[in-house]
Amino acid sequence: MWMGHSSMYKRTPSRDNSNMEDVEENSDLLDIGLDKGTSNPSLMLSLPHVLVATISSFLFGYHLGVVNEPLESISVDLGFRGNTLAEGLVVSICLGGALIGCLLSGWIADGVGRRRAFQLCALPMIIGASMSAATNNLFGMLVGRLFVGTGLGLGPPVASLYVTEVSPAFVRGTFGAFIQIATCLGLMGALFIGIPVKEISGWWRVCFWVSTIPAAILATAMVFCAESPHWLYKQGRTAEAEAEFERLLGVSEAKFAMSELSKADRGDDSDSVKLSELLHGRHSKVRFAVVFIGSTLFALQQLSGINAVFYFSSTVFKSAGVPSDIANVCIGIANLAGSIVSMGLMDKLGRKVLLFWSFFGMAIAMILQATGATSLVSNMGAQYFSVGGMFLFVLTFALGAGPVPGLLLPEIFPSRIRAKAMAVCMSVHWVINFFVGLLFLRLLEKLGPQLLYSMFATFCIMAVIFVKRNVVETKGKSLHEIEIALLPQD
């Protein structure tokens, strides 16, 4: 249900020995026969705003995959063919830029609002893609990719914040899955547009030019979208916040939503929050716990090996004797199929169940790939294990490990620290992503696929255990209800 139907909960006293078991107990209290109303706002009111926001996720996916197929042609044209470190740097410097953008995202989103943050993330993606498309040397490519990366780093946390804050609670999981679907469509778009790269000289430049179009659409369309009512309320712009709730939920729901928002705001010392408050101050132990959970989820997501698959699947398939263009298209389809299924399950099964079984399936898939790399199977068997394992890995990733962390974390973070906590957790994502992109080919050379895939499988198993022990369920609850469950009030 959306937060518009207010309910009263007994607030538990603050305790020094707060831990995640308390969080689970408080979360369970929310499900006990409380009358929260019988109607839901029309999801069609907020859907257009969510769809515009997910253009940033499309661009995120596109730029992650845009160098996959064209990388060899880029290296030939720009003069660094055969230099695996340079090839890895073309991929990973974008991720370094993303770390910069991500670290700034919380301050930008809180400082200028969610809508303007989207526009600011589109600008470097337009400039950087144009530089990469027009360059004639490695340096120009790296500078362009660095610019694109800053936009990529800013986009995902802002998209997660925005979708969480403008979506009705009863479809927040479904709308959150649109972020992953848009990312999949971006990856598939990059794979499809890269297919002619071997037949048409200089086609890789077109691949970069094309990305400027959705970036320009994002910057323009955001002018007509609603601002986050949560952000407006934090700025003291109460009337504007209520007006935006009316746009997103309808007039009948707006006053209920404002009532819930005012309850969530009680007890806050100020409208601003410092980075140190994520680890110190009021309810610091619980805040540290949720930031730790968020950072660890993103770390395990990347250490599972998913972006090694997206960045270098062409290279892996080629070594297995499989046509890379066909295999990559199939991977994109598997990613999209899993994301569509997750959209239907997110608000039915819940976030925790999807995360658990997603990481479990990814572990099985990596074990299959490691088995295919051994001498125990024939060449044909190795191809089946390697390619089949990769398809299964992408499919199960898209069911939970891909879409859930970006949705779950804005839900569990208190409103005062939400933007900056997302920036901290996403920065962990980009740091590990950077090193995976930089070192994957080198590690594949030095360690071999069997050991490397076994390491990825181990991280997936660790993620299964972590989710089982630490992640709480948030489906169907308003942001106010979740905050009550996670942060005991004085």
Side-chain angles (χ1 to χ4, degrees), residues 14 47 58 62 113 121 125 146 257 265 308 316 348 350 377 432 451 458 471 474:
S14 179
L47 180 59
F58 176 88
Y62 187 92
C121 90
M125 284 195 275
L146 183 66
D265 188 58
V316 173
K348 290 184 172 66
V377 294
I432 297 178
L451 180 56
T458 300
V471 173
T474 60

Short mmCIF file of all heavy atoms in Angstrom, two decimals, residues 14 47 58 62 113 121 125 146 257 265 308 316 348 350 377 432 451 458 471 474:
data_model
loop_
_atom_site.label_atom_id
_atom_site.label_comp_id
_atom_site.label_asym_id
_atom_site.label_seq_id
_atom_site.Cartn_x
_atom_site.Cartn_y
_atom_site.Cartn_z
N SER A 14 14.57 3.59 22.14
CA SER A 14 15.93 3.45 21.62
C SER A 14 16.78 2.69 22.62
O SER A 14 16.74 2.92 23.81
CB SER A 14 16.52 4.84 21.37
OG SER A 14 17.83 4.74 20.90
N LEU A 47 3.62 6.43 -13.38
CA LEU A 47 4.38 5.63 -14.34
C LEU A 47 5.16 6.48 -15.36
O LEU A 47 6.34 6.18 -15.61
CB LEU A 47 3.44 4.67 -15.06
CG LEU A 47 4.08 3.76 -16.12
CD1 LEU A 47 5.17 2.89 -15.49
CD2 LEU A 47 3.03 2.89 -16.80
N PHE A 58 18.86 3.12 -18.96
CA PHE A 58 19.14 2.67 -20.33
C PHE A 58 20.54 3.09 -20.75
O PHE A 58 21.33 2.30 -21.31
CB PHE A 58 18.10 3.24 -21.29
CG PHE A 58 18.36 2.92 -22.74
CD1 PHE A 58 17.88 1.75 -23.30
CD2 PHE A 58 19.11 3.78 -23.54
CE1 PHE A 58 18.14 1.44 -24.64
CE2 PHE A 58 19.37 3.49 -24.87
CZ PHE A 58 18.88 2.31 -25.42
N TYR A 62 23.74 0.86 -21.74
CA TYR A 62 24.32 1.04 -23.07
C TYR A 62 25.83 1.28 -22.97
O TYR A 62 26.62 0.67 -23.70
CB TYR A 62 23.64 2.22 -23.77
CG TYR A 62 24.08 2.38 -25.21
CD1 TYR A 62 23.37 1.76 -26.22
CD2 TYR A 62 25.20 3.15 -25.55
CE1 TYR A 62 23.76 1.90 -27.56
CE2 TYR A 62 25.60 3.28 -26.87
CZ TYR A 62 24.88 2.66 -27.87
OH TYR A 62 25.29 2.78 -29.18
N GLY A 113 18.09 18.87 -6.17
CA GLY A 113 16.89 18.10 -6.43
C GLY A 113 17.13 16.95 -7.38
O GLY A 113 18.15 16.89 -8.07
N CYS A 121 23.46 14.58 -14.98
CA CYS A 121 24.10 13.31 -15.35
C CYS A 121 24.07 13.13 -16.87
O CYS A 121 24.94 12.46 -17.43
CB CYS A 121 23.45 12.13 -14.63
SG CYS A 121 22.07 11.34 -15.48
N MET A 125 27.51 12.72 -20.25
CA MET A 125 27.36 11.58 -21.15
C MET A 125 27.29 12.05 -22.60
O MET A 125 27.76 11.37 -23.51
CB MET A 125 26.13 10.76 -20.77
CG MET A 125 26.36 9.89 -19.55
SD MET A 125 25.13 8.61 -19.31
CE MET A 125 23.88 9.53 -18.42
N LEU A 146 36.01 8.76 -19.50
CA LEU A 146 36.01 9.30 -18.14
C LEU A 146 34.83 10.25 -17.94
O LEU A 146 34.14 10.19 -16.91
CB LEU A 146 37.32 10.02 -17.87
CG LEU A 146 37.52 10.57 -16.46
CD1 LEU A 146 37.62 9.44 -15.44
CD2 LEU A 146 38.77 11.45 -16.38
N ALA A 257 -0.56 11.16 2.10
CA ALA A 257 0.87 11.06 1.88
C ALA A 257 1.62 12.15 2.64
O ALA A 257 2.68 11.89 3.24
CB ALA A 257 1.17 11.16 0.38
N ASP A 265 9.10 12.90 9.50
CA ASP A 265 10.00 14.04 9.72
C ASP A 265 10.15 14.38 11.19
O ASP A 265 11.07 15.06 11.58
CB ASP A 265 9.48 15.26 8.96
CG ASP A 265 10.46 16.42 8.99
OD1 ASP A 265 11.59 16.22 8.54
OD2 ASP A 265 10.08 17.50 9.46
N ALA A 308 32.15 -8.79 -15.49
CA ALA A 308 33.13 -9.48 -16.31
C ALA A 308 32.44 -10.16 -17.49
O ALA A 308 32.95 -10.20 -18.61
CB ALA A 308 33.90 -10.50 -15.48
N VAL A 316 35.31 -14.26 -24.14
CA VAL A 316 35.10 -15.58 -23.55
C VAL A 316 34.46 -16.53 -24.56
O VAL A 316 34.88 -17.68 -24.72
CB VAL A 316 34.22 -15.47 -22.28
CG1 VAL A 316 33.85 -16.86 -21.76
CG2 VAL A 316 34.95 -14.68 -21.20
N LYS A 348 5.36 -9.66 -5.15
CA LYS A 348 4.65 -10.88 -4.74
C LYS A 348 5.51 -11.70 -3.80
O LYS A 348 5.15 -11.96 -2.65
CB LYS A 348 4.25 -11.71 -5.96
CG LYS A 348 3.15 -11.07 -6.82
CD LYS A 348 2.75 -12.00 -7.95
CE LYS A 348 1.53 -11.47 -8.71
NZ LYS A 348 1.80 -10.23 -9.42
N GLY A 350 8.70 -10.86 -2.87
CA GLY A 350 9.47 -9.97 -2.01
C GLY A 350 10.93 -9.90 -2.41
O GLY A 350 11.45 -10.71 -3.18
N VAL A 377 35.89 -32.73 -19.30
CA VAL A 377 34.82 -32.77 -20.30
C VAL A 377 35.43 -32.57 -21.69
O VAL A 377 36.52 -32.00 -21.84
CB VAL A 377 33.76 -31.68 -20.02
CG1 VAL A 377 33.03 -31.97 -18.73
CG2 VAL A 377 34.40 -30.30 -19.99
N ILE A 432 34.78 -1.65 -6.92
CA ILE A 432 34.99 -3.07 -7.25
C ILE A 432 34.77 -3.29 -8.74
O ILE A 432 35.50 -4.05 -9.39
CB ILE A 432 34.06 -3.95 -6.40
CG1 ILE A 432 34.43 -3.77 -4.93
CG2 ILE A 432 34.19 -5.42 -6.80
CD1 ILE A 432 33.56 -4.54 -3.98
N LEU A 451 39.93 -21.54 -12.13
CA LEU A 451 40.15 -20.94 -10.81
C LEU A 451 39.37 -19.62 -10.69
O LEU A 451 38.76 -19.35 -9.65
CB LEU A 451 41.63 -20.69 -10.59
CG LEU A 451 42.02 -20.05 -9.25
CD1 LEU A 451 41.48 -20.87 -8.08
CD2 LEU A 451 43.54 -19.89 -9.14
N THR A 458 32.42 -18.74 -5.31
CA THR A 458 32.58 -18.62 -3.86
C THR A 458 31.93 -17.33 -3.35
O THR A 458 31.25 -17.32 -2.33
CB THR A 458 34.07 -18.64 -3.49
OG1 THR A 458 34.64 -19.87 -3.93
CG2 THR A 458 34.25 -18.52 -1.98
N VAL A 471 19.41 -9.50 5.43
CA VAL A 471 18.48 -8.69 4.65
C VAL A 471 17.07 -8.82 5.20
O VAL A 471 16.61 -9.92 5.53
CB VAL A 471 18.52 -9.09 3.16
CG1 VAL A 471 17.43 -8.38 2.37
CG2 VAL A 471 19.89 -8.77 2.57
N THR A 474 10.84 -5.74 2.66
CA THR A 474 10.21 -4.41 2.63
C THR A 474 9.00 -4.34 1.70
O THR A 474 8.41 -3.27 1.56
CB THR A 474 11.23 -3.35 2.14
OG1 THR A 474 11.68 -3.71 0.83
CG2 THR A 474 12.42 -3.27 3.08
#
